[in-house]
Amino acid sequence: SSGINAEYGRWHENTADSVAAQSSWDNHKKRNDSIITDLFHGQYRSRLECPDCQKVSKIFDPFMYMSVSLPRKEEKIRDIDIIWLHPDKKRTRYKIITPREGQVIDLLYAMEKASGLSADRMMLCELSQSIIESTISTTHKLRDIREGRYSLCVFEREPQLPVIKVYNAYKGYTSYLKYFGNPLVVQVPKEDMSYKDFVIMLYLRMSRYVQLTEEQLQSEDTLPFKIKSVNQFGVEQSHDLCNEEENLNITMANGKQVAYIAIVWDLDAKDEYFNIDLCNAMDYDDSYRTTKARKNEVDLADCIEMYCRQENTKRGQYVVLSELQRLQAS
């Protein structure tokens, strides 16, 4: 009837906090009445509600100090590259600040502000050296991006056209393709594009670091490379990109569009016509040198708020707070 369990110091929910707190403090002062108690001791309130029967109890405990967690930093600095559509522009590296818990679209907007490239013209990918490991959707959560394992790269593209990912490769002295240089993306502007026009389009994209003559571009026989359809793992597929009418054929037998192609160079031709140093040359935006982590100021009120945050538990789980463990054990 008094609203208290004397053995464990639990108070019923209908007992006023002011009454329960004062009574608990008076009991504490009976055993700890000193100038130290007056200056350095405090009191906190814990509330426990049973998820099955909704019975509520509360307890007021004294403390001399509390161990509180520091709020997690809400921002993250990321290095991101852009590979541009214009062949004369080098791959450019940016350093941007993004929210830690946002979505990829937040990252793209930050890149738009830093680079001037519209977010709807960006395709964000994870790169592993010369291979595109994955394309990341705009709704992907930033915390799920695989840190350290892959580098992040934005490819400029036209919003409405399908994308074909392009790798440079050579066979060397084995039958396996070895990839090198920066990957590219190309987009076919029309369905009846000739294979020759497609080859010229590819060459123009690489013209900063690949030098061929007009005679070499005239036919497939005079090219120093072959263009092959490959899968996402870089393995060759049995699909001819040039049909009988000498038009580009990017529709496979299963009805799907070719998503990856490899420009396969003869080893000697690669060394003669492909300048790997120019291909890998990179520009660094001013943000790469000037962007620094913002000072992470910690507010004591935020720490206390985290400490007092409600914890929900399911049946069979243990409550972390020590005073709740004691109540649960009772």
Side-chain angles (χ1 to χ4, degrees):
S1 60
S2 64
I4 183 174
N5 182 321
E7 182 179 359
Y8 295 107
R10 283 193 294 180
W11 295 87
H12 297 308
E13 179 69 5
N14 58 359
T15 305
D17 283 353
S18 58
V19 174
Q22 187 61 53
S23 177
S24 298
W25 185 250
D26 291 342
N27 288 334
H28 176 64
K29 287 287 294 281
K30 290 176 183 178
R31 300 184 296 273
N32 302 276
D33 193 2
S34 69
I35 187 65
I36 300 299
T37 301
D38 293 340
L39 294 178
F40 300 109
H41 284 207
Q43 187 181 58
Y44 56 71
R45 168 186 179 274
S46 300
R47 180 179 181 275
L48 182 67
E49 179 177 347
C50 176
D52 290 332
C53 68
Q54 283 75 50
K55 184 177 181 180
V56 175
S57 64
K58 56 188 177 183
I59 187 171
F60 292 82
D61 275 336
F63 67 86
M64 189 170 182
Y65 58 86
M66 289 190 300
S67 297
V68 296
S69 301
L70 296 178
R72 188 179 181 186
K73 208 170 182 179
E74 298 300 327
E75 295 178 335
K76 183 175 179 62
I77 292 181
R78 301 176 189 271
D79 292 347
I80 304 180
D81 298 345
I82 293 182
I83 294 181
W84 307 89
L85 283 177
H86 197 290
D88 291 339
K89 297 184 71 171
K90 299 176 186 176
R91 180 171 174 170
T92 308
R93 180 157 295 175
Y94 294 81
K95 191 182 290 288
I96 62 170
I97 298 176
T98 67
R100 185 177 291 274
E101 295 297 329
Q103 294 183 323
V104 165
I105 190 63
D106 299 316
L107 182 152
L108 297 185
Y109 286 145
M111 282 295 290
E112 179 181 77
K113 184 176 180 180
S115 67
L117 179 64
S118 176
D120 65 352
R121 294 177 61 85
M122 297 182 187
M123 183 179 74
L124 181 66
C125 297
E126 291 177 320
L127 299 191
S128 176
Q129 296 180 343
S130 300
I131 294 293
I132 299 174
E133 288 289 340
S134 66
T135 301
I136 308 176
S137 74
T138 56
T139 58
H140 196 86
K141 296 185 183 301
L142 290 176
R143 68 168 179 264
D144 295 332
I145 292 178
R146 295 172 284 188
E147 299 290 343
R149 186 175 179 183
Y150 304 111
S151 59
L152 292 178
C153 186
V154 165
F155 290 87
E156 182 185 4
R157 54 91 185 265
E158 297 290 344
Q160 304 300 326
L161 296 176
V163 168
I164 300 176
K165 303 175 180 72
V166 182
Y167 302 140
N168 279 286
Y170 65 93
K171 283 189 175 180
Y173 303 105
T174 68
S175 59
Y176 296 101
L177 294 180
K178 297 181 179 180
Y179 294 93
F180 66 95
N182 290 322
L184 301 172
V185 298
V186 295
Q187 296 173 279
V188 180
K190 56 183 181 179
E191 294 183 2
D192 58 346
M193 188 177 199
S194 71
Y195 184 76
K196 180 180 177 180
D197 288 343
F198 180 67
V199 171
I200 293 175
M201 182 178 70
L202 285 178
Y203 169 68
L204 291 176
R205 286 296 311 281
M206 302 186 296
S207 58
R208 182 172 57 83
Y209 47 87
V210 174
Q211 296 299 318
L212 301 179
T213 64
E214 291 186 10
E215 289 75 14
Q216 288 174 306
L217 294 170
Q218 291 303 311
S219 71
E220 191 173 11
D221 295 333
T222 55
L223 287 172
F225 53 74
K226 302 293 183 184
I227 304 176
K228 302 288 186 181
S229 172
V230 295
N231 63 18
Q232 66 183 96
F233 306 108
V235 179
E236 286 189 50
Q237 295 179 309
S238 57
H239 175 76
D240 194 348
L241 292 168
C242 183
N243 62 22
E244 295 179 356
E245 291 78 24
E246 296 188 350
N247 286 331
L248 178 66
N249 178 23
I250 58 172
T251 303
M252 298 186 292
N254 59 9
K256 295 183 179 180
Q257 179 189 290
V258 171
Y260 303 84
I261 63 172
I263 301 173
V264 183
W265 294 80
D266 175 77
L267 189 56
D268 294 333
K270 165 186 168 292
D271 295 336
E272 182 177 355
Y273 301 111
F274 196 107
N275 190 322
I276 189 64
D277 292 331
L278 286 178
C279 176
N280 292 334
M282 185 177 295
D283 283 335
Y284 290 85
D285 181 70
D286 288 342
S287 63
Y288 189 79
R289 293 179 289 272
T290 60
T291 301
K292 297 180 180 179
R294 300 172 188 170
K295 188 175 181 181
N296 189 28
E297 297 181 352
V298 176
D299 191 329
L300 179 60
D302 294 335
C303 299
I304 295 176
E305 182 183 355
M306 288 182 61
Y307 183 83
C308 298
R309 189 171 296 163
Q310 177 177 315
E311 295 186 19
N312 297 321
T313 61
K314 297 179 181 179
R315 182 177 300 177
Q317 290 182 332
Y318 291 99
V319 181
V320 175
L321 298 180
S322 59
E323 68 272 18
L324 297 187
Q325 286 181 322
R326 178 160 52 81
L327 288 176
Q328 193 177 49
S330 66

